[in-house]
Amino acid sequence: MKKLLAVLMVLIAAGFAFGAGRQQGGGSAGGVTKGMDRKIVMGYSQIGAESEWRTACTNSVKAAAEEYNIELIFSDAQQKQENQMQALRSFIRQKVDVIGWTPVVETGWDAILQEIKDAGIPVICVDRQVTLAAGKRQEDYISAFIGSNMITEAQKAVQWIVNYMKTTGNSRKKDDGKVDINVAILEGTTGSGAQVGRTEGWNQEISKYPNYKTIFRQTGNFTRAEGQQVMEAWMKSPQANDIDVLFAQNDDMAIGAIDAIKAAGKKPGTDIIIVSIDSVKGAFDAMLRKELNATIECNPLLGPQVMDTAVKILNNQPITWWVESVESQFDWTNAEAAYPSRQY
Ligand code: AHR
């Protein structure tokens, strides 16, 4: 009896440790899920709250679960893969109807995905994809992917930068195709789908312009604080004055870096051209202050698509494995007009 009690206590504590919490969807505690003949339960493993984008994504998922009257068991992994493993295993134990999941990194999921498959629970990957062992396809373990094309986002960033450097330039130089354009790159969480895809897209596209040289490249983990710290260190280095362009793999890191650039006595947006990805409100504020030059949109409002896909899967209706988000890009020419209609 004592042993049983001890085991129960550990299990309860583990539940709290990774922050899983049940949320009743819809106005009534009961009822049925929109589009279903019963109320369904979704286990959702989010990676954390590292950025403005992530908060918008979480809010969208929670609001959509309410709208669909889906019971959501939400777990915040605080950026740790082992917390996500625990959450996913607890969803299996709880026999949820469907799992929504943003993998913090791309690899290391083969075993848990097999367990979920064996349990017969469909998985919807949200925002970030996985890479499985050679010969395995993620489509055989994951029912649908909902999110952006990280590769094309970075390619758009390169195109914006090259065009701007050719036509306008920074306070010191224009790109004539021959002069070196020195780039600093703030990368996201190493090994995450967003970092891997955006790095691949950047590398592919920038290789067409050999005069663009990467002089700094480091992770800022998608956070404002780390973006600022890394930029501060670069601004103290002997090569600080050589930086022409900063590409940050998300807006939060760019916003942190802007503070570091100003503290070092330089004008962000003029002395150093800055482009990032996401298009959160903070980026619009920075563009209106003429401190951030451009942001490539990555849509975090994925909740409705996640819930709609879950309902379709459980009803055995046909779905497309990945419907890419339709996205835009913003700079000083259109930021002001777009700002009032931005939802995140
Ligand atoms: O995976 C999407 C990325 O993760 C967003 O660009 C970033 O802001 C977030 O933290």
Side-chain angles (χ1 to χ4, degrees), residues 47 49-54 79 102 126-128 150 153 189 192-195 198 221-223 249-252 277-278 280 298:
I47 60 178
E50 73 282 3
S51 62
E52 214 177 309
W53 189 100
R54 184 67 51 203
Q79 310 298 324
T102 299
V126 184
D127 163 40
R128 295 183 182 174
M150 308 287 181
E153 286 171 350
T189 309
S192 66
Q195 180 266 336
R198 289 171 188 170
N221 272 317
F222 284 132
T223 70
Q249 288 184 348
N250 83 341
D251 289 340
D252 279 67
I277 295 176
D278 278 355
V280 296
C298 178

Side-chain angles (χ1 to χ4, degrees), residues 23-25 33 39-40 42 65 68-72 307 311:
Q23 171 185 311
Q24 289 293 334
T33 294
K39 182 157 182 166
I40 63 165
M42 173 183 282
Y68 276 72
N69 199 22
I70 290 175
E71 184 175 342
L72 193 69
M307 303 309 151
V311 166

Side-chain angles (χ1 to χ4, degrees), residues 224-253:
R224 247 170 235 211
E226 284 182 70
Q228 182 169 359
Q229 265 170 29
V230 174
M231 195 74 211
E232 263 164 20
W234 290 344
M235 295 312 290
K236 283 180 191 145
S237 86
Q239 275 181 295
N241 288 331
D242 298 338
I243 304 175
D244 294 310
V245 171
L246 170 68
F247 169 53
Q249 288 184 348
N250 83 341
D251 289 340
D252 279 67
M253 292 188 295

